[in-house]
């Protein structure tokens, strides 16, 4: 596992689990199947670029919800595009399936979508496609970002 992520997890006192099988948590469906949980309990981390801002933002949302372009445009007050795989890796050092808010550049604003509130336990990637941390919504707000948003489709 990435050293920056390990240090961030230790600093935040967040327990994590690594799986032996590479790709065990690569997609929301993979993670849900590996842990035998609902897709919505998998917290996905998505990078977006508001056109009027210099920096990217990361939205953490429930795995069974789609990000709403209309809500993003209203929130950021401009058009917003999703980061591609190359930009995501350049900015975070993580590939899809491992993108997480731990150990990333402080210039990336992290937003926590309310779609995850409905679950007691959530699972968020830890920098690889075979690692996850189990957290509550309250822990995510307290330890990762206290910026709560409503950016998913109803």
């Amino acid at each position: 596992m990435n050293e920056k992520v390990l240090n961030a997890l230790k600093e935040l006192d967040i327990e994590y689990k690594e799986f032996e099988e590479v790709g065990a948590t690569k997609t929301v469906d993979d993670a849900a199947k590996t842990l035998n949980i609902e897709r919505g309990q998998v917290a996905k981390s998505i990078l977006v670029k508001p056109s009027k801002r210099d920096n990217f933002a990361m939205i953490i949302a429930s795995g069974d919800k789609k990000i709403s372009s209309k809500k993003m445009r209203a929130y950021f007050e401009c058009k917003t595009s999703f980061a591609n795989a190359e930009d995501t890796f350049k900015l975070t050092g993580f590939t899809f399936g491992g993108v997480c808010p731990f150990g990333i550049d402080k210039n990336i604003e992290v937003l926590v979508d309310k779609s995850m509130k409905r679950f007691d336990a959530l699972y968020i990637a830890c920098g690889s496609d075979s690692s996850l941390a189990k957290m509550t919504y309250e822990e995510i707000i307290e330890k990762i970002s206290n910026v709560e948003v409503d950016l998913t489709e109803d």
Side-chain angles (χ1 to χ4, degrees):
M1 186 183 300
N2 181 304
E3 192 173 332
K4 287 190 313 184
V5 173
L6 281 173
N7 291 337
L9 291 169
K10 287 178 187 174
E11 185 178 309
L12 295 168
D13 194 29
I14 297 172
E15 292 185 33
Y16 63 92
K17 180 174 182 171
E18 288 190 78
F19 299 89
E20 289 183 25
E21 181 186 343
V22 173
T25 62
K26 187 171 183 94
T27 66
V28 168
D29 289 334
D30 293 338
K33 184 178 176 182
T34 297
L35 295 171
N36 195 28
I37 58 172
E38 292 181 48
R39 293 178 70 241
Q41 288 181 267
V42 180
K44 59 184 175 184
S45 302
I46 300 169
L47 276 181
V48 297
K49 177 67 171 80
S51 62
K52 291 184 180 177
R53 295 191 183 184
D54 292 334
N55 297 322
F56 282 75
M58 178 180 284
I59 302 168
I60 303 172
S62 188
D64 63 346
K65 296 288 185 177
K66 289 185 177 187
I67 304 297
S68 167
S69 295
K70 183 178 178 181
K71 287 183 179 182
M72 280 198 306
R73 192 170 27 259
Y75 178 82
F76 291 110
E77 299 177 340
C78 62
K79 286 187 175 184
T80 307
S81 59
F82 292 97
N84 61 32
E86 186 178 319
D87 286 338
T88 298
F89 185 75
K90 279 183 195 174
L91 290 165
T92 66
F94 310 126
T95 58
F96 288 136
V99 178
C100 69
F102 309 114
I104 61 171
D105 187 315
K106 299 292 184 203
N107 291 321
I108 298 174
E109 178 183 18
V110 179
L111 310 170
V112 180
D113 192 79
K114 294 178 180 181
S115 61
M116 298 182 297
K117 268 188 173 178
R118 60 203 156 111
F119 297 103
D120 293 331
L122 297 160
Y123 298 84
I124 191 165
C126 295
S128 75
D129 63 6
S130 58
S131 61
L132 292 169
K134 181 180 178 181
M135 301 179 75
T136 64
Y137 183 79
E138 292 75 22
E139 287 174 320
I140 291 172
I141 292 292
E142 177 188 324
K143 295 182 178 189
I144 298 174
S145 173
N146 63 357
V147 182
E148 239 180 345
V149 294
D150 177 12
L151 297 176
T152 54
E153 294 179 2
D154 299 322

